[in-house]
Amino acid sequence: MYQRATLPNGLKIICESMPHVHSVSVGVWVGTGSRDENLKYNGISHLVEHLFFKGTANRSAKQIAEAIDAVGGQLNAFTTKEYTCYYVKVLSEQVHLGIELLADMIANSLFAPEDIEKEKQVVLEEIKSFEDSPDELVHDLFAGAVLKEHPLGWPILGVPESIARIDRRVIMEYLLQHYTADNMVFAAAGNVQFDQIVTAVEKGFSKLSGGCKRILPPLTAYRPEKILKYKDTEQVHLCVGNRGLERKHADRYAVFVLDSILGGSVSSRLFQELREERGLVYVTCSNHSSFKDTGIFSIYAGTSLNNFDQVLELVKREIKRCYEEPVAEMELSRAKEQLKGNLLLSMESPFNRMCRIAKLELYQDQLLTPEEAVAKVEAVAKEDVMRVAGEIFGKEDPVILALGPFAAK
């Protein structure tokens, strides 16, 4: 079902064929993100991602955009805390163009000083936009509070002061250290032949070289605290949670089920209690983010200032229930079916399949089929859910971070 190859320079290729579809999604995944940065230059990973679209030795930025638009494709990228992805979605007959565009960008981008200065201004506007989205901003602030000055807690976008310090010399040093062939995965999924992918990737990426020595700084000590930050908003935006489990932890499937039960759907405990039963919120949810060596389990709710204390107590009560009371069989079954449906429905998309196999390869994780992953979920018992909830929530008080008009209270 999956085919792999490694080029002589160390670049890994993984492919999943889907002969019944008309399209192909291909992506270059680089094992670097905001956790790999120096605090002085926080945000460089994301800035570099932008700059790969600003022109190469062969194409201007406009020509890159026109080339993909001319075939009805999509070319984009995103940066996370641990990796950066550049991807193309095209019809299967245009896959060679997609690979050639990605190769040209990764191998031949110019990083002209004038483009760097211009794109720094674009990123500063993006930071301002993020600051104007309190429901997103609160998650960044919460991660910083949970991870206490560790790079995983730094904002992916950086801050204005760190962006201002970045110049071409700093960027080129960053690229030499992290954008190496052995720190990349090329992934493809869709109506495509593996041999054709390997040939095209080898042609476009064989000149890449270098060796990446990724050093993960040790985790900082966890310290529960309650932080109320003022912002002139209509609602209080609340995050509550603890450190979670690393990506390859044996209990990860139990965490998926716990997340689904607590706040992962409209039938979840938080949604039913806070919105349907009491009408205290419009949005509430939970989320577990996993990294190489730790995780964050967060619960979010947006509510009026007058309801803040009540919502916080109800959230803490629901957290406590998870590790003090066994989940009912019907609720457990419903959570598993939700996870199963979400996974299998998402696998109808070549892009989602490409992302899945790329991340598994990047993290050197076990490459299960979707059906094997479903079986792992099905094997989770109610005792597992209760035990994992106790591991995450029962040993330490949570971090509480709220953003809103507290000066008026």
Side-chain angles (χ1 to χ4, degrees):
M1 188 173 184
Y2 309 113
Q3 294 174 282
R4 287 186 174 105
T6 302
L7 299 184
N9 61 4
L11 188 146
K12 294 175 283 294
I13 303 171
I14 185 165
C15 181
E16 181 177 1
S17 180
M18 302 171 66
H20 58 284
V21 301
H22 296 287
S23 66
V24 179
S25 290
V26 296
V28 180
W29 296 69
V30 189
T32 186
S34 56
R35 78 167 299 162
D36 299 280
E37 298 171 352
N38 182 315
L39 182 58
K40 184 178 180 180
Y41 303 119
N42 176 215
I44 189 172
S45 302
H46 174 254
L47 175 61
V48 162
E49 174 224 304
H50 277 227
L51 290 169
F52 273 110
F53 290 81
K54 305 313 292 182
T56 74
N58 304 307
R59 294 178 175 91
S60 67
K62 184 180 180 181
Q63 288 171 328
I64 292 172
E66 288 175 343
I68 196 66
D69 284 349
V71 297
Q74 297 177 28
L75 171 65
N76 213 329
F78 56 88
T79 304
T80 73
K81 292 182 181 293
E82 293 195 310
Y83 54 82
T84 308
C85 171
Y86 305 83
Y87 67 88
V88 169
K89 302 178 185 178
V90 286
L91 295 176
S92 56
E93 58 264 31
Q94 301 293 345
V95 67
H96 287 86
L97 171 65
I99 296 173
E100 200 272 321
L101 281 173
L102 288 174
D104 191 24
M105 291 165 57
I106 298 298
N108 303 313
S109 282
L110 296 175
F111 300 101
E114 59 271 24
D115 288 332
I116 293 172
E117 292 307 310
K118 188 188 303 180
E119 208 59 28
K120 283 165 65 173
Q121 294 304 310
V122 172
V123 170
L124 291 177
E125 292 301 321
E126 189 175 357
I127 291 171
K128 292 175 183 177
S129 176
F130 191 75
E131 290 279 345
D132 284 340
S133 304
D135 55 330
E136 297 181 15
L137 176 62
V138 71
H139 287 91
D140 253 22
L141 298 173
F142 179 74
V146 171
L147 291 160
K148 296 290 181 294
E149 300 176 357
H150 188 276
L152 280 173
W154 299 346
I156 293 171
L157 299 182
V159 296
E161 295 77 14
S162 62
I163 298 301
R165 298 186 191 105
I166 300 171
D167 56 22
R168 192 175 192 278
R169 178 190 62 80
V170 173
I171 288 170
M172 299 314 291
E173 288 178 357
Y174 178 84
L175 293 172
L176 283 172
Q177 184 177 357
H178 298 288
Y179 275 69
T180 60
D182 64 341
N183 196 34
M184 294 183 185
V185 170
F186 190 96
N191 190 353
V192 69
Q193 297 292 323
F194 178 64
D195 292 344
Q196 294 176 340
I197 291 290
V198 173
T199 300
V201 172
E202 188 165 21
K203 179 181 177 182
F205 292 85
S206 60
K207 292 181 181 179
L208 294 177
S209 60
C212 178
K213 296 181 179 178
R214 197 175 194 188
I215 301 172
L216 301 181
L219 293 172
T220 52
Y222 176 79
R223 187 176 70 251
E225 57 182 327
K226 183 177 181 180
I227 303 169
L228 306 181
K229 295 183 72 71
Y230 172 79
K231 193 170 183 66
D232 186 13
T233 58
E234 293 296 322
Q235 281 190 311
V236 173
H237 298 271
L238 167 68
C239 273
V240 181
N242 297 61
R243 288 190 184 174
L245 306 183
E246 64 268 23
R247 183 178 176 87
K248 294 166 70 172
H249 197 286
D251 283 326
R252 57 185 156 171
Y253 293 96
V255 174
F256 297 159
V257 175
L258 171 63
D259 183 22
S260 179
I261 290 170
L262 189 54
S265 69
V266 294
S267 66
S268 67
R269 293 180 177 183
L270 287 167
F271 192 93
Q272 288 296 311
E273 180 68 17
L274 296 180
R275 175 168 163 160
E276 299 300 285
E277 294 296 324
R278 298 176 184 265
L280 296 173
V281 304
Y282 177 65
V283 176
T284 183
C285 58
S286 63
N287 179 66
H288 184 264
S289 300
S290 294
F291 310 109
K292 278 183 174 290
D293 47 2
T294 189
I296 301 176
F297 201 120
S298 62
I299 293 160
Y300 167 81
T303 190
S304 298
L305 182 63
N306 291 338
N307 296 329
F308 168 68
D309 291 331
Q310 184 182 4
V311 168
L312 176 57
E313 290 308 308
L314 289 169
V315 167
K316 289 162 70 174
R317 189 187 75 180
E318 291 301 329
I319 289 173
K320 193 173 182 181
R321 278 185 62 204
C322 289
Y323 61 84
E324 287 191 344
E325 302 174 14
V327 60
E329 288 293 342
M330 184 176 294
E331 190 177 21
L332 179 65
S333 176
R334 186 168 60 242
K336 290 180 180 181
E337 286 300 313
Q338 185 211 2
L339 291 168
K340 174 183 174 180
N342 287 346
L343 174 61
L344 295 181
L345 287 172
S346 72
M347 290 299 95
E348 295 185 2
S349 159
F351 177 73
N352 289 340
R353 284 188 179 257
M354 184 273 290
C355 291
R356 179 176 179 271
I357 61 175
K359 285 185 278 188
L360 291 172
E361 186 74 12
L362 196 64
Y363 283 93
Q364 298 180 329
D365 205 347
Q366 187 179 7
L367 192 56
L368 301 177
T369 65
E371 292 74 20
E372 288 170 332
V374 166
K376 293 280 189 182
V377 172
E378 291 285 5
V380 174
K382 59 184 178 182
E383 294 81 9
D384 299 323
V385 176
M386 191 174 176
R387 173 176 50 79
V388 167
E391 287 292 320
I392 295 174
F393 296 117
K395 295 182 177 181
E396 299 272 8
D397 289 336
V399 168
I400 299 165
L401 193 142
L403 188 65
F406 289 106
K409 189 174 180 181

